[in-house]
Amino acid sequence: MAKTGTTTQGLRAAIERSGYYPALVAEAVEAAVGGDPVVSYLVHQETTFDANEVRRHVTVLVLTEHRFIVSHTDEQAADDTSPTPYATTSTESVRIERVSSVVTSRVVAHPESYTPGTLPREVVLTIGWGAVSRIDLEPAACGDPNCEADHGYTGSSTADDLSLRVSEAGDGPETVREALAFAQALSAATAALGEGPSGTRR
């Protein structure tokens, strides 16, 4: 389930509708947002299965004029550190200018007959701001198929701070639409940083 919108009141209402420890989640998110006006937000809850346990997780993304805020809340079973089940929540506040990439991956059924405006079957939103990077390495090679020299390694570094997947089958079409709306708002916010007052590129 996901909810998106553009007001602080709407954000609180969406967290409460999710039904996932709303008082805990709302307090953490609102403390991070502070007095900043909310430009856009996305509340997404997912359920995972761990062995014989069912665990829930909620992600709240908030866009303000100057910051991108991400909050995660997880529930945990009793363990060595706690005799009773507990929840952990974390928030991270990122300046908009630090957001280096907003990748929206769309999965579309029957692409040969695709009609513009049709919702994709699945959307994966990947946002990078430099906190976490994934490095993929592989042995380097030259053009000589008979060469046995060691050419070291080659690879690429990819920003991978947050990846959020929603699907029409699992979350419903409205959730897919809301994820696309938030991605568009965040992309527009990062693009606006490179424009001057008249809209020209700096």
Side-chain angles (χ1 to χ4, degrees):
M1 174 175 56
K3 297 296 176 186
T4 189
T6 57
T7 67
T8 303
Q9 294 83 359
L11 171 60
R12 180 63 181 257
I15 292 173
E16 291 177 350
R17 283 195 300 271
S18 75
Y20 184 86
Y21 307 124
L24 172 66
V25 175
E27 182 180 55
V29 172
E30 289 172 358
V33 172
D36 291 358
V38 173
V39 175
S40 184
Y41 63 80
L42 178 66
V43 179
H44 180 251
Q45 181 181 312
E46 59 183 329
T47 302
T48 58
F49 299 90
D50 182 10
N52 296 325
E53 296 179 357
V54 178
R55 294 184 179 177
R56 295 177 298 167
H57 174 90
V58 67
T59 301
V60 181
L61 308 180
V62 183
L63 174 64
T64 72
E65 185 177 354
H66 301 290
R67 295 183 297 150
F68 165 64
I69 296 164
V70 55
S71 173
H72 296 287
T73 303
D74 294 275
E75 58 184 3
Q76 307 289 341
D79 55 26
D80 294 339
T81 65
S82 174
T84 60
Y86 62 99
T88 59
T89 185
S90 64
T91 58
E92 182 172 1
S93 178
V94 181
R95 296 191 308 275
I96 288 296
E97 57 266 27
R98 284 186 52 203
V99 177
S100 56
S101 65
V102 181
V103 182
T104 306
S105 301
R106 308 174 185 223
V107 178
V108 177
H110 307 294
E112 72 281 356
S113 58
Y114 176 76
T115 301
T118 302
L119 282 178
R121 184 177 66 189
E122 178 181 313
V123 169
V124 179
L125 175 60
T126 304
I127 303 169
W129 57 91
V132 178
S133 296
R134 183 180 68 251
I135 299 178
D136 298 316
L137 295 176
E138 61 182 18
C142 66
D144 183 357
N146 298 316
C147 178
E148 297 181 356
D150 183 356
H151 296 283
Y153 289 86
T154 184
S156 61
S157 177
T158 306
D160 194 18
D161 296 292
L162 173 72
S163 184
L164 185 69
R165 174 185 175 271
V166 297
S167 68
E168 185 177 18
D171 303 288
E174 189 60 25
T175 300
V176 175
R177 186 176 293 106
E178 290 162 350
L180 289 172
F182 183 84
Q184 184 176 6
L186 182 58
S187 294
T190 58
L193 292 174
E195 297 182 353
S198 63
T200 57
R201 302 296 294 183
R202 288 176 180 169

